Amino acid sequence: EAQVTQNPRYLITVTGKKLTVTCSQNMNHEYMSWYRQDPGLGLRQIYYSMNVEVTDKGDVPEGYKVSRKEKRNFPLILESPSPNQTSLYFCASSLSGTPPDTQYFGPGTRLTVL
Amino acid sequence: QQPVQSPQAVILREGEDAVINCSSSKALYSVHWYRQKHGEAPVFLMILLKGGEQKGHEKISASFNEKKQQSSLYLTASQLSYSGTYFCGTEKAGNQFYFGTGTSLTVIP
């Protein structure tokens, strides 16, 4: 089944404790992206990747890191999480990024930083 | 730079029609529409490319006026399954993607 998977689905952590949210897609998509969703603010792009080893900042990249060492994986790293990073995170992928094509979203990861 | 949607929220009875608008202060090269049901991930509805074309998906259609930098989503004869939050989205040069502010749609029996 074609899908985007994210792990974990729920995470409660404390300020400053490094964490990684994994994202994987099995559709051989070139474009992958991370979004955060907050009430009243909609979905905002954190980082995106056009292909392996090519990543770029989105609208709200501060406090996040990403890597794209393999086409299928696009982990989101929070090296020192803070409470303002409490949010619902979605990973998405699309066949092409030029222009952005249909995006397929993972199920989401709800992160709480205490 | 985030596209602005209106209305923010709308409540409909089954069978009624609705229009959701999306406007941008920047030039729109294309407009994407997604629907997100409560507690779920956004799901793609359609993409409109510049040229004023109208596309359809079941009883949901959309138009795109690139000169006015606007797009509208039309939901006709709404069904309970149409409830959710609708987002428009567009790309920026460099392949960054922006979603709109969202419109909550509730269809009641």
Side-chain angles (χ1 to χ4, degrees), chain A residues 31 35 37 41 43 45 48 50 58-59 90 97-100 102-103 105-106, chain B residues 2 32 34 36 40-42 44 47 87 91 94-101:
Chain A
Y31 187 90
Y35 297 92
Q37 185 171 28
L41 297 176
L43 291 147
Q45 193 176 47
Y48 64 96
M50 294 290 292
D59 207 28
F90 287 103
T98 314
T102 305
Q103 293 188 69
F105 284 79
Chain B
Q2 190 176 24
H32 306 222
Y34 286 79
Q36 183 180 29
E40 299 180 7
F44 170 78
I47 292 177
F87 292 99
E91 77 268 20
N95 307 106
Q96 192 172 339
F97 197 84
Y98 288 99
F99 279 99
T101 48

Short mmCIF file of all heavy atoms in Angstrom, two decimals, chain A residues 31 35 37 41 43 45 48 50 58-59 90 97-100 102-103 105-106, chain B residues 2 32 34 36 40-42 44 47 87 91 94-101:
data_model
loop_
_atom_site.label_atom_id
_atom_site.label_comp_id
_atom_site.label_asym_id
_atom_site.label_seq_id
_atom_site.Cartn_x
_atom_site.Cartn_y
_atom_site.Cartn_z
N TYR A 31 9.88 14.78 -3.76
CA TYR A 31 9.65 15.92 -2.88
C TYR A 31 9.10 15.44 -1.55
O TYR A 31 8.13 14.69 -1.50
CB TYR A 31 8.65 16.87 -3.56
CG TYR A 31 8.41 18.20 -2.89
CD1 TYR A 31 9.17 19.31 -3.19
CD2 TYR A 31 7.35 18.36 -1.99
CE1 TYR A 31 8.92 20.55 -2.62
CE2 TYR A 31 7.09 19.60 -1.41
CZ TYR A 31 7.89 20.69 -1.73
OH TYR A 31 7.63 21.92 -1.15
N TYR A 35 5.51 19.82 7.95
CA TYR A 35 4.63 20.92 8.33
C TYR A 35 4.30 20.81 9.81
O TYR A 35 4.26 19.71 10.36
CB TYR A 35 3.31 20.87 7.55
CG TYR A 35 3.44 21.03 6.06
CD1 TYR A 35 3.59 19.92 5.24
CD2 TYR A 35 3.42 22.29 5.47
CE1 TYR A 35 3.71 20.06 3.86
CE2 TYR A 35 3.54 22.44 4.10
CZ TYR A 35 3.68 21.31 3.31
OH TYR A 35 3.81 21.46 1.95
N GLN A 37 1.18 22.11 12.46
CA GLN A 37 -0.18 22.65 12.44
C GLN A 37 -0.55 23.12 13.83
O GLN A 37 -0.52 22.36 14.79
CB GLN A 37 -1.19 21.61 11.96
CG GLN A 37 -2.59 22.16 11.80
CD GLN A 37 -3.53 21.20 11.13
OE1 GLN A 37 -3.37 19.98 11.22
NE2 GLN A 37 -4.53 21.72 10.42
N LEU A 41 -3.48 28.93 12.95
CA LEU A 41 -2.35 29.26 12.07
C LEU A 41 -2.28 28.34 10.86
O LEU A 41 -1.45 28.53 9.98
CB LEU A 41 -1.04 29.19 12.85
CG LEU A 41 -0.89 30.20 13.99
CD1 LEU A 41 0.41 29.97 14.74
CD2 LEU A 41 -0.95 31.63 13.46
N LEU A 43 -1.48 25.17 8.46
CA LEU A 43 -0.28 24.35 8.24
C LEU A 43 0.85 25.24 7.76
O LEU A 43 0.71 25.98 6.79
CB LEU A 43 -0.57 23.29 7.16
CG LEU A 43 -1.54 22.19 7.55
CD1 LEU A 43 -2.36 21.75 6.35
CD2 LEU A 43 -0.77 21.02 8.12
N GLN A 45 4.97 25.31 6.63
CA GLN A 45 6.06 24.45 6.20
C GLN A 45 7.33 24.73 7.01
O GLN A 45 7.74 25.88 7.17
CB GLN A 45 6.32 24.66 4.71
CG GLN A 45 7.21 23.62 4.08
CD GLN A 45 7.36 23.82 2.58
OE1 GLN A 45 7.61 24.92 2.11
NE2 GLN A 45 7.20 22.73 1.82
N TYR A 48 11.70 21.46 3.51
CA TYR A 48 11.32 20.60 2.41
C TYR A 48 12.59 20.10 1.71
O TYR A 48 13.68 20.66 1.89
CB TYR A 48 10.38 21.29 1.42
CG TYR A 48 10.95 22.49 0.70
CD1 TYR A 48 11.50 22.36 -0.57
CD2 TYR A 48 10.93 23.75 1.29
CE1 TYR A 48 12.02 23.46 -1.23
CE2 TYR A 48 11.43 24.86 0.64
CZ TYR A 48 11.98 24.71 -0.62
OH TYR A 48 12.48 25.80 -1.29
N MET A 50 13.88 18.56 -2.15
CA MET A 50 13.58 18.28 -3.55
C MET A 50 14.07 16.90 -3.97
O MET A 50 13.55 16.30 -4.91
CB MET A 50 14.21 19.34 -4.45
CG MET A 50 13.62 20.72 -4.26
SD MET A 50 11.94 20.79 -4.88
CE MET A 50 12.24 20.63 -6.63
N GLY A 58 11.68 26.13 5.02
CA GLY A 58 10.34 26.58 4.73
C GLY A 58 10.07 27.87 5.47
O GLY A 58 10.97 28.69 5.66
N ASP A 59 8.85 28.01 5.93
CA ASP A 59 8.44 29.26 6.57
C ASP A 59 8.88 29.37 8.02
O ASP A 59 9.13 30.47 8.51
CB ASP A 59 6.91 29.34 6.49
CG ASP A 59 6.42 30.75 6.51
OD1 ASP A 59 7.17 31.65 6.06
OD2 ASP A 59 5.29 30.99 6.97
N PHE A 90 3.14 17.10 10.55
CA PHE A 90 2.83 16.24 9.41
C PHE A 90 4.01 16.19 8.45
O PHE A 90 4.60 17.22 8.11
CB PHE A 90 1.61 16.77 8.63
CG PHE A 90 0.31 16.56 9.32
CD1 PHE A 90 -0.32 17.62 9.97
CD2 PHE A 90 -0.31 15.32 9.32
CE1 PHE A 90 -1.53 17.44 10.61
CE2 PHE A 90 -1.53 15.13 9.94
CZ PHE A 90 -2.14 16.19 10.59
N GLY A 97 8.56 18.11 -7.20
CA GLY A 97 8.50 19.39 -6.51
C GLY A 97 8.54 20.55 -7.46
O GLY A 97 8.53 21.71 -7.06
N THR A 98 8.56 20.25 -8.76
CA THR A 98 8.67 21.32 -9.74
C THR A 98 7.62 21.15 -10.83
O THR A 98 7.85 20.49 -11.83
CB THR A 98 10.07 21.30 -10.40
OG1 THR A 98 11.06 21.16 -9.39
CG2 THR A 98 10.30 22.55 -11.20
N PRO A 99 6.43 21.76 -10.69
CA PRO A 99 5.97 22.45 -9.48
C PRO A 99 5.49 21.44 -8.45
O PRO A 99 5.37 20.26 -8.78
CB PRO A 99 4.81 23.29 -10.01
CG PRO A 99 4.26 22.46 -11.12
CD PRO A 99 5.45 21.78 -11.76
N PRO A 100 5.21 21.85 -7.24
CA PRO A 100 4.70 20.90 -6.25
C PRO A 100 3.45 20.19 -6.77
O PRO A 100 2.55 20.81 -7.30
CB PRO A 100 4.38 21.78 -5.05
CG PRO A 100 5.32 22.91 -5.15
CD PRO A 100 5.45 23.16 -6.64
N THR A 102 0.60 16.77 -6.20
CA THR A 102 -0.26 16.26 -5.13
C THR A 102 0.60 15.82 -3.97
O THR A 102 1.52 15.03 -4.14
CB THR A 102 -1.06 15.05 -5.63
OG1 THR A 102 -1.78 15.42 -6.80
CG2 THR A 102 -1.99 14.54 -4.55
N GLN A 103 0.29 16.32 -2.79
CA GLN A 103 1.03 15.93 -1.59
C GLN A 103 0.25 14.88 -0.83
O GLN A 103 -0.94 15.03 -0.58
CB GLN A 103 1.31 17.14 -0.71
CG GLN A 103 2.29 18.13 -1.37
CD GLN A 103 2.73 19.22 -0.44
OE1 GLN A 103 3.46 18.99 0.52
NE2 GLN A 103 2.30 20.44 -0.72
N PHE A 105 0.02 12.95 2.74
CA PHE A 105 0.41 13.23 4.11
C PHE A 105 0.48 11.97 4.97
O PHE A 105 -0.29 11.03 4.79
CB PHE A 105 -0.59 14.19 4.75
CG PHE A 105 -0.42 15.61 4.30
CD1 PHE A 105 -0.92 16.03 3.08
CD2 PHE A 105 0.24 16.53 5.10
CE1 PHE A 105 -0.75 17.34 2.66
CE2 PHE A 105 0.41 17.84 4.70
CZ PHE A 105 -0.09 18.25 3.47
N GLY A 106 1.42 11.99 5.89
CA GLY A 106 1.46 10.97 6.92
C GLY A 106 0.36 11.23 7.94
O GLY A 106 -0.33 12.24 7.88
N GLN B 2 1.02 34.02 3.64
CA GLN B 2 0.06 32.93 3.68
C GLN B 2 -1.23 33.36 3.00
O GLN B 2 -1.76 34.44 3.28
CB GLN B 2 -0.21 32.59 5.15
CG GLN B 2 -1.00 31.34 5.39
CD GLN B 2 -1.12 31.05 6.89
OE1 GLN B 2 -1.01 31.93 7.73
NE2 GLN B 2 -1.33 29.79 7.22
N HIS B 32 -3.80 24.75 -4.95
CA HIS B 32 -4.10 23.39 -4.53
C HIS B 32 -5.18 23.46 -3.46
O HIS B 32 -5.18 24.37 -2.63
CB HIS B 32 -2.87 22.72 -3.93
CG HIS B 32 -1.65 22.75 -4.80
ND1 HIS B 32 -0.83 21.66 -4.94
CD2 HIS B 32 -1.11 23.72 -5.57
CE1 HIS B 32 0.17 21.97 -5.76
NE2 HIS B 32 0.03 23.21 -6.15
N TYR B 34 -7.11 21.15 -0.37
CA TYR B 34 -7.06 19.97 0.48
C TYR B 34 -8.21 20.04 1.47
O TYR B 34 -8.67 21.12 1.84
CB TYR B 34 -5.73 19.91 1.25
CG TYR B 34 -4.54 19.53 0.41
CD1 TYR B 34 -3.92 20.47 -0.40
CD2 TYR B 34 -4.05 18.23 0.42
CE1 TYR B 34 -2.83 20.13 -1.19
CE2 TYR B 34 -2.94 17.87 -0.35
CZ TYR B 34 -2.36 18.83 -1.15
OH TYR B 34 -1.28 18.47 -1.93
N GLN B 36 -9.26 18.42 5.33
CA GLN B 36 -8.80 17.70 6.51
C GLN B 36 -9.97 17.44 7.44
O GLN B 36 -10.59 18.38 7.95
CB GLN B 36 -7.73 18.52 7.25
CG GLN B 36 -7.13 17.82 8.45
CD GLN B 36 -6.07 18.66 9.14
OE1 GLN B 36 -6.09 19.88 9.11
NE2 GLN B 36 -5.10 18.00 9.77
N GLU B 40 -7.54 13.81 11.43
CA GLU B 40 -6.91 13.10 10.32
C GLU B 40 -5.92 14.00 9.58
O GLU B 40 -5.81 15.19 9.86
CB GLU B 40 -7.97 12.57 9.37
CG GLU B 40 -8.93 11.58 10.00
CD GLU B 40 -9.97 11.07 9.01
OE1 GLU B 40 -9.85 11.39 7.81
OE2 GLU B 40 -10.88 10.36 9.44
N ALA B 41 -5.22 13.42 8.65
CA ALA B 41 -4.29 14.18 7.83
C ALA B 41 -5.02 14.86 6.67
O ALA B 41 -6.09 14.40 6.26
CB ALA B 41 -3.21 13.26 7.27
N PRO B 42 -4.49 15.95 6.15
CA PRO B 42 -5.09 16.56 4.97
C PRO B 42 -5.07 15.61 3.78
O PRO B 42 -4.15 14.81 3.62
CB PRO B 42 -4.18 17.77 4.70
CG PRO B 42 -3.51 18.05 6.00
CD PRO B 42 -3.34 16.70 6.65
N PHE B 44 -5.69 15.48 -0.48
CA PHE B 44 -5.73 16.28 -1.70
C PHE B 44 -7.09 16.23 -2.38
O PHE B 44 -7.71 15.16 -2.48
CB PHE B 44 -4.66 15.74 -2.65
CG PHE B 44 -4.73 16.29 -4.04
CD1 PHE B 44 -4.24 17.55 -4.31
CD2 PHE B 44 -5.27 15.55 -5.08
CE1 PHE B 44 -4.29 18.07 -5.59
CE2 PHE B 44 -5.32 16.05 -6.36
CZ PHE B 44 -4.83 17.31 -6.62
N ILE B 47 -5.84 20.33 -8.04
CA ILE B 47 -4.88 21.39 -8.37
C ILE B 47 -5.45 22.17 -9.54
O ILE B 47 -5.96 21.59 -10.50
CB ILE B 47 -3.51 20.82 -8.77
CG1 ILE B 47 -2.81 20.17 -7.59
CG2 ILE B 47 -2.62 21.92 -9.34
CD1 ILE B 47 -1.49 19.52 -7.95
N PHE B 87 -8.34 23.68 3.06
CA PHE B 87 -7.17 24.53 2.91
C PHE B 87 -6.85 24.73 1.43
O PHE B 87 -6.85 23.76 0.66
CB PHE B 87 -5.94 23.89 3.56
CG PHE B 87 -6.00 23.79 5.05
CD1 PHE B 87 -6.37 22.60 5.67
CD2 PHE B 87 -5.67 24.88 5.85
CE1 PHE B 87 -6.41 22.50 7.05
CE2 PHE B 87 -5.72 24.79 7.23
CZ PHE B 87 -6.09 23.60 7.83
N GLU B 91 2.44 27.41 -4.31
CA GLU B 91 3.89 27.35 -4.18
C GLU B 91 4.50 28.72 -4.40
O GLU B 91 3.91 29.60 -5.00
CB GLU B 91 4.49 26.36 -5.19
CG GLU B 91 4.58 26.86 -6.61
CD GLU B 91 3.37 26.51 -7.43
OE1 GLU B 91 2.31 26.22 -6.85
OE2 GLU B 91 3.48 26.55 -8.67
N GLY B 94 11.11 28.62 -5.74
CA GLY B 94 12.02 27.87 -4.89
C GLY B 94 11.36 26.63 -4.32
O GLY B 94 11.96 25.91 -3.54
N ASN B 95 10.12 26.40 -4.72
CA ASN B 95 9.40 25.18 -4.35
C ASN B 95 8.94 25.12 -2.90
O ASN B 95 8.53 24.08 -2.41
CB ASN B 95 10.22 23.93 -4.68
CG ASN B 95 10.66 23.93 -6.12
OD1 ASN B 95 11.83 24.17 -6.41
ND2 ASN B 95 9.73 23.73 -7.01
N GLN B 96 8.98 26.26 -2.21
CA GLN B 96 8.37 26.34 -0.90
C GLN B 96 6.86 26.33 -1.08
O GLN B 96 6.35 26.78 -2.11
CB GLN B 96 8.81 27.64 -0.23
CG GLN B 96 8.50 27.73 1.24
CD GLN B 96 9.15 28.95 1.87
OE1 GLN B 96 10.11 29.49 1.32
NE2 GLN B 96 8.63 29.38 3.00
N PHE B 97 6.14 25.81 -0.10
CA PHE B 97 4.69 25.69 -0.24
C PHE B 97 4.00 26.37 0.93
O PHE B 97 4.40 26.22 2.08
CB PHE B 97 4.30 24.21 -0.28
CG PHE B 97 2.92 23.98 -0.82
CD1 PHE B 97 2.70 23.92 -2.18
CD2 PHE B 97 1.85 23.83 0.04
CE1 PHE B 97 1.43 23.71 -2.69
CE2 PHE B 97 0.57 23.63 -0.45
CZ PHE B 97 0.35 23.57 -1.82
N TYR B 98 2.94 27.10 0.61
CA TYR B 98 2.17 27.81 1.63
C TYR B 98 0.73 27.31 1.62
O TYR B 98 0.10 27.26 0.55
CB TYR B 98 2.14 29.31 1.35
CG TYR B 98 3.43 30.02 1.58
CD1 TYR B 98 4.28 30.31 0.54
CD2 TYR B 98 3.79 30.42 2.86
CE1 TYR B 98 5.46 30.98 0.74
CE2 TYR B 98 4.98 31.10 3.08
CZ TYR B 98 5.81 31.37 2.01
OH TYR B 98 6.98 32.04 2.22
N PHE B 99 0.22 27.01 2.80
CA PHE B 99 -1.20 26.71 2.94
C PHE B 99 -1.92 27.95 3.41
O PHE B 99 -1.37 28.81 4.09
CB PHE B 99 -1.42 25.58 3.93
CG PHE B 99 -1.21 24.21 3.35
CD1 PHE B 99 -0.03 23.53 3.54
CD2 PHE B 99 -2.21 23.60 2.60
CE1 PHE B 99 0.17 22.28 3.00
CE2 PHE B 99 -2.03 22.35 2.06
CZ PHE B 99 -0.83 21.68 2.26
N GLY B 100 -3.19 28.03 3.06
CA GLY B 100 -4.02 29.13 3.52
C GLY B 100 -4.42 28.95 4.97
O GLY B 100 -4.06 27.97 5.62
N THR B 101 -5.19 29.89 5.45
CA THR B 101 -5.56 29.94 6.87
C THR B 101 -6.62 28.91 7.25
O THR B 101 -6.82 28.65 8.42
CB THR B 101 -6.07 31.34 7.22
OG1 THR B 101 -7.03 31.75 6.23
CG2 THR B 101 -4.92 32.35 7.21
#
